Amino acid sequence: MAGGPDSGRVVRLGAGAATAGSAPTCSLPLTDTTLPPVALRITIDIKGGTTLAPEGGADLLLDDRPVTSGTPWPPSGVVRAGDSLLVLDRVAEPDAHLSAMSEGGLAYNRPPRLSPLRPRRRLVVPVPPTKGDRARFQFIMAFMPMLFGIGMWLLTQQIYMLLFCLMSPMMMAAQWLSENREGKKQHKTSVKQYKKDIAAHTAELAALGKEEQRARRADSPDPAEILLFATGPRRRLWERRLTDPDALHLRIGSGSLPSDVELVLGRGGSLYEEERPEPPVLPDVPVTLPFSELGVIGVAGDRARALATARWLAVQAAVLHSPRDLSS
């Protein structure tokens, strides 16, 4: 359970069918009063493939998309059911390096950690093509040779000289029609290419959003993961050092936050800052507070929930940071 009244619970499911809801008879009983007695049916095959089916008229979302009968539930996928967040993960063995100490107890060798900072991704947003100005008919250039032809006819009295009067306007008219036709053809080609570019951009932006969702959730573990880190123990126990940029950045919940992807307009786009495209919003990502910068934090509200929140913050700090770092 990654969020909601039952945050921190870990339920192991085997092959077969399981149910989740507010009824105590469910395989995964939840204290979420916004859910019907049976809100979700989970089916796991012998290969580990998992599918979902809503029950009791419950509105379920999997990574912000509606859940229908037979919807696959991939590992790390987040299901929102009422006020609860459920995450599917595979069973992992404890992997922390422990060694017995001569004076008793166990020594934990905290492994090195790679920098959690990730480069900010940048995407160029295709700009729709503009329809160019229509070609202008050059009247002066068309009729000046007519004056020359009339003058030559008056001087020579040759009827053939009048052909110059017709030739020039006809040539200019043909050029005008050709340029307009070519302009329309180029605009049609540009629109077709723009549709392909915007479709590719949308797909890439969605993929980057999913990748960023997974990265944010991995960087700020949910209560169930914190429990597994501590009781395993896992390698991520005490992973943060005081020199890390996310030191004492503690998760207080989940919400919808703007993506960190930088969007810039392509060639021909607006130069005004206020007209730049806004990044997409990522649903159900961790919301954190930088305790090292804020100093004192107050938790207000219902006493039971406020105390639970305070315990969660204390446990989170103790699991992600070593006692030596917290005492310094």
Side-chain angles (χ1 to χ4, degrees):
M1 298 298 301
D6 300 283
S7 296
R9 286 184 58 192
V10 177
V11 179
R12 298 180 183 271
L13 300 175
T19 56
S22 58
T25 55
C26 289
S27 310
L28 179 56
L30 304 174
T31 57
D32 190 344
T33 57
T34 63
L35 294 176
V38 179
L40 174 65
R41 182 172 298 276
I42 307 167
T43 304
I44 305 175
D45 59 30
I46 57 175
K47 295 183 179 180
T50 307
T51 57
L52 303 172
E55 298 284 345
D59 294 326
L60 307 178
L61 296 176
L62 172 59
D63 291 333
D64 209 37
R65 293 184 178 181
V67 174
T68 58
S69 182
T71 298
W73 191 4
S76 302
V78 177
V79 173
R80 173 172 286 278
D83 293 333
S84 301
L85 295 179
L86 294 80
V87 178
L88 178 68
D89 206 351
R90 300 187 183 279
V91 177
E93 295 296 327
D95 54 2
H97 184 271
L98 302 175
S99 57
M101 301 174 62
S102 58
E103 62 271 20
L106 296 173
Y108 168 53
N109 182 20
R110 183 167 57 162
R113 184 191 186 200
L114 298 177
S115 173
L117 288 178
R118 294 180 175 85
R120 188 179 185 186
R121 304 297 295 270
R122 186 177 188 183
L123 280 185
V124 178
V125 182
V127 177
T130 57
K131 198 168 185 178
D133 296 333
R134 297 187 63 183
R136 297 181 179 180
F137 189 82
Q138 304 293 335
F139 286 96
I140 296 179
M141 293 184 64
F143 291 104
M144 282 297 292
M146 290 182 64
L147 299 178
F148 176 77
I150 293 174
M152 292 297 294
W153 174 72
L154 292 175
L155 290 175
T156 62
Q157 296 297 314
Q158 296 290 331
I159 192 66
Y160 300 107
M161 292 297 175
L162 294 178
L163 293 177
F164 286 102
C165 301
L166 297 176
M167 183 175 62
S168 179
M170 291 178 64
M171 290 176 60
M172 295 301 297
Q175 182 181 0
W176 176 73
L177 291 173
S178 177
E179 289 180 355
N180 277 330
R181 184 178 179 184
E182 185 65 24
K184 291 180 180 179
K185 186 177 179 181
Q186 289 181 357
H187 179 70
K188 188 175 181 180
T189 303
S190 299
V191 170
K192 189 175 181 180
Q193 183 62 42
Y194 168 73
K195 291 181 179 179
K196 292 182 179 179
D197 293 343
I198 201 67
H201 167 76
T202 302
E204 185 177 6
L205 185 59
L208 288 179
K210 294 296 182 185
E211 181 182 337
E212 186 177 348
Q213 271 184 324
R214 291 191 292 268
R216 289 194 182 193
R217 291 166 182 167
D219 292 341
S220 301
D222 59 62
E225 288 181 297
I226 291 291
L227 173 66
L228 295 176
F229 292 170
T231 58
R234 302 291 201 274
R235 290 171 55 88
R236 294 188 63 181
L237 178 66
W238 302 346
E239 69 173 358
R240 296 183 185 176
R241 278 75 169 172
L242 292 181
T243 54
D244 289 342
D246 58 351
L248 290 176
H249 283 228
L250 303 183
R251 176 172 175 166
I252 60 170
S254 300
S256 297
L257 297 176
S259 171
D260 195 43
V261 175
E262 181 184 5
L263 299 179
V264 294
L265 291 175
R267 180 178 298 179
S270 174
L271 298 178
Y272 297 102
E273 187 72 25
E274 60 272 11
E275 295 185 13
R276 289 192 176 184
E278 294 292 332
V281 175
L282 304 179
D284 297 328
V285 293
V287 178
T288 62
L289 288 180
F291 277 64
S292 57
E293 301 173 14
L294 298 176
V296 178
I297 302 295
V299 180
D302 176 73
R303 178 174 176 79
R305 299 189 67 176
L307 289 176
T309 302
R311 288 194 299 269
W312 156 237
L313 294 174
V315 169
Q316 190 179 175
V319 172
L320 295 177
H321 309 81
S322 71
R324 179 179 299 175
D325 288 341
L326 291 178
S327 62
S328 60

